[in-house]
Amino acid sequence: MVDDPWSSALHRLWQAASRAEEVAALADDVYAPLLATPGVHRVVGTRWDGRQVLRYMRALSAGSDTPVIVATARSMPGAAVREPGGEPVVDRLEAAGLDDAVWPEAEFLREAPGGSVVSCTFRLDQRGWAALTLAVDASADLAAVESRLTQAVDVIVACHTGILQRGREARRGADDALLAEASLQMDSSLDVEDTLRRVARIAVPAVADGALVHLARGEGPEFVAATHVAVQQQRALEAAGRDDPWLAALLARRGEDEDTVFLSGAALDGSPFADPASPTTADADADAGEGPHPTVVTISPLRARGRVLGTITFVYQRPEARLPDSAFLRSLATRAALAIDNALLYELRRTAVLSLQEHLLPSQLPVTDRWDLSASYAVGDPMLDVGGDFYDAVLRPDGSIALLIGDVCGRGAEAAALTGLARHTLRTLLEEGTDAGTALSRLNRALRQERASRFLTAVVATLAPQADGTVLLSTCSAGHPPPLVLRGDGTVSEVLSGGLLLGVLDDVSYESHQERLTPDDTLVLFTDGLTESREAGGTFFESVLPARLAALRGSDAAHIAESLARQARAFRDSGQDDIALLVARWTGLPPDSGLLPPDHRLEQAALR
């Protein structure tokens, strides 16, 4: 005959198990139908961790609606004999013979009528197990009782497994979201120091309570960043990261093939993370005793592109169940390592680009009695590669001075090679006394002979002092933006220029345009990175350049060059081209005569 009441109860139990968020929520659905079984007088459930520590006990008697619940942390080593292996274990025993050191539920079972016990012990997971025990009398059908008991246990185990699985899925989803956010945060900067700080902060407090980042150096691990949820503990954590010999020795031993290491308990003795109550740390620094102490410390290697960059150390002051697993920590460390490696590579590239750029420009400009010379070079974006802007100033045999500025199309190694070729060719020819037009024509011929795939623009301005105190300005251009002249009275004019780009046709000649400069006039040469800087509304800096230059009347050459470059960078919302400026101010006076006092009010007004 089908046992309809039990079957219905079991069906309801499975339904409840599918919805339960914790096993304890099934208690009423488990205990009531078992107590309704003929001959069953009491049900007692116990929950244990893997160290034979009783965590929970619940007892309910037939005819009662109020269970006895005991939440504890009682260590019972004797209970090890009851711990099950893989499959549930069912035992039939007499209540009078139960050992209290093994059976904490004995006191409830002995009080029940009948004196017999049917118990089932079963594993919940790797870290814990449980027991469900019934007190029965002689009228009970023990086979039926065992069948119902094992069926109930099957539901409990399935419920617990489902809860764990849903928890793992939720945790995996949260971990994936955290890893994605961590990647975005860490990859959003290419500044090395900022990236290292982001790596330390990204997992606190979501993953751990504190974090330390060290880079691997030839002389040992180098502390670079630390963070903690508590400010005072962060200071202690930073001190440990910099100076603690125990931590330094441990990090130095992290090999390239090692995965995340979990340290706790005695493994932390002698460390800055040890429990101060431990005999080995009784004399620890007073700061170490402030606040809760780490329960676990993990150390993960920061490995990217086949090499170990350093380590990330997490400290945890939270329950073991809330600790991340090694797979998550490995993934987080890998992403952090890639972000750090990208920042380090970018820094190396940036340094190399700036260094190469400096070698493509003159180390210094000529110093003369009557010329105030200065230059400015602003790299648009060091990440892009070496730019093609160049400038120089050359003293010529006849006493004149030649200023040259140019721009090679594009960036990179080829542009750098052409930049070097162009500057040194023009410099050599102009130093020998070759006129500007011939020098440009010969450079154009050299580019065509080299089969250069890029073109370039350039302008050469020759400044020859005259007997009347003026300067004869001869300008020869090859498709370059025309220079500007800032007159002593504050007016700004454009120097006429023209000419074909260099490197396009085989035979090209270049003509010069001449005009006069008087004392306190200033000649400004620049590349198109200055004029093509564009604000958000689409306006080019070229449209405001004359007014901005006029506002600098009375300033020396250095201030004019730096101010215009700074203003163009602040002005632009788009555009990443380099900006080169070469400024020559004709004083016509000895250097100790002084300059006209600059009117900074004009400069400020031009910026509005």
Side-chain angles (χ1 to χ4, degrees):
M1 177 181 289
V2 177
D3 188 353
D4 290 332
W6 172 252
S7 296
S8 298
L10 189 61
H11 179 69
R12 289 194 300 272
L13 181 58
W14 276 110
Q15 288 182 320
S18 66
R19 299 188 300 268
E21 295 183 0
E22 56 180 13
V23 174
L26 293 179
D28 291 340
D29 295 290
V30 172
Y31 283 41
L34 286 176
L35 285 170
T37 302
V40 176
H41 296 277
R42 184 162 290 177
V43 180
V44 184
T46 53
R47 178 77 177 268
W48 306 76
D49 68 17
R51 299 182 295 273
Q52 287 74 53
V53 175
L54 177 65
R55 295 295 182 182
Y56 173 86
M57 183 162 58
R58 187 180 197 273
L60 182 66
S61 299
S64 174
D65 294 329
T66 306
V68 177
I69 299 175
V70 179
T72 183
R74 190 195 314 173
S75 178
M76 300 185 67
V81 298
R82 295 179 62 191
E83 184 174 349
E87 297 296 326
V89 177
V90 178
D91 292 304
R92 298 180 186 179
L93 307 100
E94 294 300 318
L98 296 178
D99 183 351
D100 289 351
V102 178
W103 294 80
E105 59 265 59
E107 58 178 302
F108 298 105
L109 297 171
R110 293 193 190 104
E111 296 174 356
S116 295
V117 169
V118 179
S119 180
C120 181
T121 56
F122 53 95
R123 295 214 70 83
L124 289 172
D125 50 50
Q126 294 299 318
R127 295 179 295 182
W129 55 282
L132 193 60
T133 305
L134 310 180
V136 301
D137 62 22
S139 68
D141 181 347
L142 294 182
V145 169
E146 287 186 7
S147 175
R148 293 185 179 187
L149 182 59
T150 55
Q151 287 175 348
V153 166
D154 286 343
V155 178
I156 293 172
V157 172
C159 176
H160 184 72
T161 302
I163 290 172
L164 291 180
Q165 180 63 28
R166 290 193 295 274
R168 283 192 294 267
E169 291 174 354
R171 180 69 175 268
R172 188 178 302 114
D175 287 350
D176 289 345
L178 178 61
L179 289 172
E181 177 64 20
S183 294
L184 288 174
Q185 290 292 328
M186 292 185 293
D187 293 343
S188 63
S189 174
L190 286 173
D191 179 84
V192 174
E193 292 187 2
D194 185 48
T195 299
L196 291 169
R197 287 192 296 268
R198 287 169 183 260
V199 168
R201 290 196 305 260
I202 194 64
V204 176
V207 175
D209 299 279
L212 283 164
V213 180
H214 289 78
L215 291 182
R217 302 297 190 194
E219 60 276 11
E222 176 189 342
F223 166 78
V224 291
T227 190
H228 198 282
V229 291
V231 174
Q232 194 162 11
Q233 292 194 60
Q234 177 167 333
R235 289 195 291 266
L237 195 61
E238 291 174 348
R242 289 191 180 93
D243 305 319
D244 186 75
W246 181 93
L247 182 60
L250 181 65
L251 297 180
R253 293 196 301 269
R254 295 300 97 204
E256 292 190 5
D257 297 327
E258 293 190 60
D259 201 351
T260 297
V261 176
F262 285 75
L263 303 172
S264 61
L268 295 176
D269 287 350
S271 78
F273 315 112
D275 186 339
S278 170
T280 59
T281 58
D283 298 326
D285 188 88
D287 287 343
E290 298 174 354
H293 278 267
T295 56
V296 177
V297 173
T298 63
I299 302 174
S300 302
L302 295 170
R303 185 181 296 107
R305 299 180 177 94
R307 61 193 184 99
V308 173
L309 305 178
T311 57
I312 184 166
T313 302
F314 290 128
V315 297
Y316 308 88
Q317 296 162 335
R318 57 188 62 188
E320 186 177 348
R322 292 178 55 201
L323 296 180
D325 57 29
S326 58
F328 172 82
L329 292 176
R330 181 169 55 250
S331 182
L332 181 62
T334 298
R335 294 168 190 241
L338 286 172
I340 293 172
D341 196 41
N342 286 338
L344 290 172
L345 290 174
Y346 173 80
E347 184 65 23
L348 288 174
R349 180 183 180 87
R350 179 177 180 275
T351 301
V353 167
L354 293 177
S355 176
L356 180 55
Q357 198 79 66
E358 289 177 358
H359 283 83
L360 292 174
L361 301 172
S363 58
Q364 62 182 13
L365 297 176
V367 177
T368 69
D369 292 340
R370 295 189 175 187
W371 285 107
D372 176 19
L373 297 175
S374 188
S376 176
Y377 195 104
V379 178
D381 185 352
M383 184 178 180
L384 292 176
D385 218 327
V386 183
D389 293 13
F390 64 92
Y391 63 82
D392 209 340
V394 180
L395 295 177
R396 291 162 58 80
D398 61 1
S400 64
I401 185 170
L403 307 181
L404 62 100
I405 194 166
D407 186 1
V408 176
C409 173
R411 309 180 72 93
E414 186 177 2
L418 289 180
T419 298
L421 172 65
R423 185 173 81 86
H424 289 291
T425 298
L426 289 177
R427 179 183 179 87
T428 300
L429 292 172
L430 294 170
E431 280 182 329
E432 293 174 350
T434 305
D435 67 88
T438 302
L440 289 174
S441 296
R442 290 178 63 177
L443 173 59
N444 179 75
R445 187 161 57 250
L447 293 173
R448 298 295 293 170
Q449 290 173 349
E450 292 292 329
R451 300 182 182 274
S453 61
R454 300 170 185 259
F455 62 83
L456 62 93
T457 66
V459 63
V460 178
T462 305
L463 304 164
Q466 303 298 300
D468 60 0
T470 64
V471 169
L472 179 62
L473 168 63
S474 298
T475 306
C476 192
S477 176
H480 197 81
L484 296 178
V485 175
L486 171 61
R487 300 293 179 179
D489 60 3
T491 59
V492 175
S493 61
E494 187 177 276
V495 176
L496 295 178
S497 60
L500 189 67
L501 302 173
L502 295 163
V504 177
L505 300 177
D506 289 331
D507 296 317
V508 182
S509 59
Y510 296 93
E511 297 181 355
S512 295
H513 169 79
Q514 295 182 340
E515 59 182 275
R516 296 274 178 165
L517 299 182
T518 60
D520 296 322
D521 286 351
T522 301
L523 178 67
V524 181
L525 294 83
F526 48 86
T527 56
D528 59 10
L530 180 76
T531 54
E532 293 180 3
S533 294
R534 180 162 49 181
E535 65 173 359
T539 301
F540 287 97
F541 192 71
E542 181 179 21
S543 63
V544 300
L545 177 57
R548 299 288 180 92
L549 179 56
L552 294 169
R553 180 180 67 87
S555 299
D556 60 23
H559 181 69
I560 292 174
E562 293 299 331
S563 179
L564 289 179
R566 182 176 63 252
Q567 290 181 45
R569 291 197 302 269
F571 181 88
R572 71 182 174 193
D573 180 71
S574 63
Q576 295 179 318
D577 200 3
D578 294 359
I579 297 174
L581 287 123
L582 183 57
V583 179
R585 186 173 185 275
W586 169 245
T587 65
L589 300 170
D592 58 355
S593 299
L595 299 173
L596 291 176
D599 189 342
H600 295 292
R601 292 172 300 174
L602 292 174
E603 183 178 354
Q604 293 301 315
L607 294 174
R608 296 192 182 100

